């Protein structure tokens, strides 16, 4: 069981940056592959990025590749999403997710067992 709490969302102008954090409870954080998803109003939840348990491997949606960076600090039980060059179409509620699995390139929401409550990111034009 793991509890996930996101933070760091807010309002930013197009071209700006934000860093999201997702803090996890428990002592087995390093056992979980982690992912970030987002959901805009009226749209399905979509994959953004994922990271392996030890943080050495990452995977991105094409829409964010080159602009977003996922990372993790297992000593702090935290996964991050650095978002640069933000666009209005990045506006959404961002969620972190966890699965106790070595395979990390899961892009479907159903592939994850635990979810945070989400944090709102709004990018103005």
């Amino acid at each position: 069981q793991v509890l996930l709490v996101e933070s760091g969302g807010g309002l930013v102008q197009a071209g700006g940056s934000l860093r999201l954090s997702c803090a996890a409870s428990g002592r087995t954080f390093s056992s979980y592959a982690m992912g970030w998803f987002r959901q805009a109003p009226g749209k399905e939840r979509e994959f953004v990025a994922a990271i392996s348990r030890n943080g050495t491997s990452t995977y991105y949606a094409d829409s964010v590749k080159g602009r977003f960076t996922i990372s993790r600090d297992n000593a702090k039980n935290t996964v991050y999403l650095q978002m640069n060059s933000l666009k209005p179409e990045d506006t959404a509620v961002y969620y972190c997710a966890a699965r106790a699995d070595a395979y990390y390139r899961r892009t479907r929401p159903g592939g994850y067992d635990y979810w945070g409550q989400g944090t709102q990111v709004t990018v103005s034009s």
Side-chain angles (χ1 to χ4, degrees):
Q1 187 81 13
V2 62
L3 179 65
L4 304 173
V5 180
E6 301 97 335
S7 62
L11 173 64
V12 64
Q13 289 188 333
S17 298
L18 281 174
R19 188 176 81 155
L20 306 183
S21 299
C22 172
S25 65
R27 294 174 290 179
T28 60
F29 179 68
S30 60
S31 299
Y32 292 86
M34 300 296 296
W36 284 98
F37 287 74
R38 66 187 181 186
Q39 189 166 17
K43 295 188 177 182
E44 293 186 351
R45 192 167 298 191
E46 67 171 357
F47 170 76
V48 174
I51 191 165
S52 61
R53 295 186 299 187
N54 63 5
T56 59
S57 299
T58 57
Y59 186 62
Y60 297 93
D62 288 343
S63 58
V64 306
K65 201 173 297 182
R67 299 189 298 122
F68 290 12
T69 302
I70 187 172
S71 62
R72 66 190 295 164
D73 185 338
N74 285 347
K76 296 182 178 180
N77 282 13
T78 302
V79 62
Y80 304 98
L81 186 68
Q82 177 67 43
M83 306 186 295
N84 299 328
S85 303
L86 283 161
K87 305 175 181 179
E89 51 263 43
D90 294 318
T91 295
V93 177
Y94 283 71
Y95 300 88
C96 67
R99 181 184 172 102
D101 196 347
Y103 183 69
Y104 69 97
R105 296 179 74 169
R106 299 185 184 277
T107 62
R108 297 181 179 181
Y112 292 83
D113 298 318
Y114 303 101
W115 292 85
Q117 84 289 347
T119 185
Q120 176 71 46
V121 172
T122 302
V123 184
S124 63
S125 58

